[in-house]
Amino acid sequence: MANINENFLKLEESYLFSTIAKKVAEFQKKHPDKKIIKLGIGDVTKPIVPAVIEALHKAVDEIGTIEGFKGYGPEQGYEFLRKAIVENEYKTLGIELDEIFVSDGAKCDCGNIVDIFGNNNKVAITNPVYPVYVDTNIMSGKKENIVYLPVLEKNNFIPELPKERVDIIYLCFPNNPTGMAISKEELKKFVDYAKDNKSIILYDAAYEAFITEGNIAHSIYEIEGARDVAIEFKSYSKTAGFTGLRCGYVVIPKSVKGYSQGGKKFEMNKLWNRRTTTKFNGTAYIIQKAAEAVYSEKGKEQVKANIKDYLENAKIIKDGLEEAGFIVYGGINSPYIWLKAPNNMSSWEFFDELLEKANIVGTPGIGFGSCGEGFLRLTAFGTKENSIEAIKRIKELY
Ligand code: MLT
């Protein structure tokens, strides 16, 4: 008799975005004539930019030649991409090539990172939060070790430092789901906390390309001391439209140390390298070539233009909702808009009403955690036309 991992029984029955997709599919089946606007899951809609497409074509042709064929690549990523990452993202921050691990996206990295941590760690996770952090900790038997850090309207959606001692802290800024950013001073408090407590920060910076304001770190390593206590996750998904192509990376400075039960220090970089070489055979060569092209002159320009358009959508949605009398957060340094449900509706009531009466899909705040109750997240990753149309429908309804 094969036993199951019973930790899976402690999870919600289905992953948040799968539950929503099912609900929307059922609604569409009942009402095939309705034109649904999907502003739920943060999936991009703009095609891959020409500079990246060109690099992809070239790489495809290359692997069809005897000289250009590639078999297994380095598990950590090809040097050309790791070099481009260091050069373009971390040049002034002291991050080295062997501190970068290329992957097939931040979701996998954020989930897989639990492998290199012990089961007795106290883990601080914000509430509401991107569900992957919580679910992967539960799957690996750490449900009881999770300490939630409430992220509340009254604190401008910035978590307070943990009240009890924790070993690991997940942070995501600009934040998914609230769309709010953290100032360098506030972030420094977490870095100092981690230093004082020998904790490690797992910093998800997947949305940093959307930062428009000053005094907000694009990388946690801009904060003094972070290189000793932080692991950073980044992704090309939202930055360069790679949600389908799949590529991201994790940064683990060699100075980030964990401890054995006996109190001996270990480099987390070495542990992750060991895990990576065992469980991963690297991201496809052609995809890494595509990611490299994001850093070409043309690539940078084209990707920036797309982000600008998404941020314009965010402004259309945010301004429109405010004109309609909603209380709205996010949408300035982020593609996410976090709005308060009207008339004291719950997140799911508001979700249902928007779906049924305006045929708009959002993501109920409570799906990201109990403190998200009463909120709904909309994304700016739709088209401009759909963003305008969504606001028109909402204004008609409220
Ligand atoms: C989201 O909608 O929160 C994200 O698209 C999910 C993800 O990046 O996996």
Side-chain angles (χ1 to χ4, degrees):
M1 186 172 68
N3 285 326
I4 60 158
N5 175 352
E6 292 198 16
N7 293 312
F8 277 69
L9 307 178
K10 300 176 187 167
L11 295 165
E12 297 283 329
E13 197 167 305
S14 106
Y15 182 59
L16 173 63
F17 294 108
S18 317
T19 308
I20 293 168
K22 203 169 147 223
K23 252 182 174 264
V24 174
E26 276 162 15
F27 178 83
Q28 186 78 87
K29 207 170 156 199
K30 267 201 225 149
H31 307 278
D33 52 315
K34 301 275 188 216
K35 189 183 167 289
I36 296 178
I37 298 179
K38 293 185 180 163
L39 304 179
I41 191 162
D43 197 2
V44 291
T45 51
K46 283 178 176 292
I48 302 293
V49 299
V52 172
I53 290 295
E54 204 180 298
L56 261 173
H57 279 299
K58 226 168 127 195
V60 168
D61 289 341
E62 191 188 344
I63 58 171
T65 64
I66 291 176
E67 318 76 57
F69 170 73
K70 300 279 179 299
Y72 293 125
E75 296 92 338
Q76 304 83 351
Y78 283 96
E79 203 174 298
F80 63 77
L81 180 55
R82 298 167 94 196
K83 257 192 187 156
I85 292 169
V86 169
E87 193 59 27
N88 288 279
E89 310 268 358
Y90 295 107
K91 200 167 179 177
T92 56
L93 301 177
I95 298 295
E96 290 169 10
L97 192 128
D98 55 358
E99 297 177 324
I100 309 276
F101 295 84
V102 176
S103 70
D104 58 353
K107 180 180 188 175
C108 313
D109 286 336
C110 290
N112 291 331
I113 201 80
V114 294
D115 275 8
I116 61 169
F117 288 99
N119 263 345
N120 50 354
N121 285 309
K122 276 258 173 266
V123 184
I125 301 184
T126 55
N127 174 6
V129 79
Y130 178 42
V132 172
Y133 317 150
V134 175
D135 285 2
T136 52
N137 272 280
I138 295 177
M139 285 173 185
S140 67
K142 300 184 188 74
K143 185 176 166 75
E144 285 70 33
N145 306 13
I146 300 175
V147 172
Y148 288 99
L149 305 181
V151 169
L152 305 171
E153 195 177 11
K154 66 173 187 195
N155 295 338
N156 214 21
F157 300 97
I158 300 301
E160 287 179 5
L161 289 175
K163 303 238 179 323
E164 58 183 292
R165 206 201 146 273
V166 299
D167 306 290
I168 298 170
I169 306 168
Y170 283 83
L171 292 177
C172 170
F173 287 107
N175 186 256
N176 179 12
T178 67
M180 298 296 271
I182 192 168
S183 69
K184 289 186 179 173
E185 290 76 25
E186 289 293 331
L187 188 53
K188 172 94 167 55
K189 290 184 194 165
F190 281 90
V191 170
D192 291 346
Y193 174 96
K195 282 199 104 151
D196 292 346
N197 290 282
K198 295 196 169 77
S199 319
I200 292 180
I201 297 173
L202 300 178
Y203 194 73
D204 185 348
Y207 299 93
E208 66 77 24
F210 293 83
I211 294 173
T212 58
E213 294 181 319
N215 200 32
I216 299 169
H218 286 255
S219 160
I220 193 166
Y221 304 118
E222 289 175 33
I223 308 298
E224 196 200 328
R227 259 161 49 87
D228 296 332
V229 293
I231 291 175
E232 178 161 279
F233 304 94
K234 282 206 184 162
S235 162
Y236 298 98
S237 285
K238 321 291 156 125
T239 313
F242 275 47
T243 50
L245 285 182
R246 308 302 309 148
C247 194
Y249 57 92
V250 49
V251 184
I252 312 191
K254 282 169 270 179
S255 43
V256 176
K257 305 281 183 2
Y259 296 83
S260 68
Q261 292 285 346
K264 204 168 155 214
K265 264 192 202 178
F266 289 88
E267 279 182 19
M268 298 311 281
N269 179 297
K270 277 200 178 143
L271 266 62
W272 185 251
N273 191 51
R274 184 69 179 83
R275 183 211 176 271
T276 303
T277 48
T278 304
K279 290 198 180 182
F280 190 53
N281 261 333
T283 305
Y285 171 74
I286 56 172
I287 301 297
Q288 293 194 53
K289 273 288 173 192
E292 184 193 28
V294 171
Y295 298 115
S296 64
E297 276 318 304
K298 275 196 187 144
K300 279 187 206 167
E301 245 171 59
Q302 293 164 357
V303 156
K304 216 168 149 191
N306 280 357
I307 291 172
K308 192 167 162 266
D309 287 350
Y310 287 136
L311 282 167
E312 260 172 47
N313 291 347
K315 187 166 164 40
I316 290 168
I317 297 172
K318 186 178 162 67
D319 291 354
L321 288 169
E322 276 168 354
E323 279 159 28
F326 283 89
I327 296 174
V328 188
Y329 298 95
I332 294 174
N333 297 297
S334 160
Y336 293 131
I337 292 103
W338 188 241
L339 72 149
K340 214 170 182 170
N343 312 321
N344 285 323
M345 262 190 267
S346 73
S347 294
W348 277 113
E349 281 167 352
F350 188 35
F351 170 91
D352 286 336
E353 184 160 289
L354 275 186
L355 178 60
E356 279 156 28
K357 299 196 181 149
N359 311 136
I360 294 167
V361 183
T363 308
I366 192 159
F368 298 101
S370 57
C371 295
E373 179 56 297
F375 285 88
L376 185 110
R377 193 194 75 178
L378 293 177
T379 97
F381 285 126
T383 59
K384 183 172 182 181
E385 296 68 41
N386 276 349
S387 306
I388 293 170
E389 171 65 18
I391 289 304
K392 188 170 152 263
R393 291 187 196 176
I394 291 175
K395 280 186 172 167
E396 278 162 13
L397 191 59
Y398 297 100

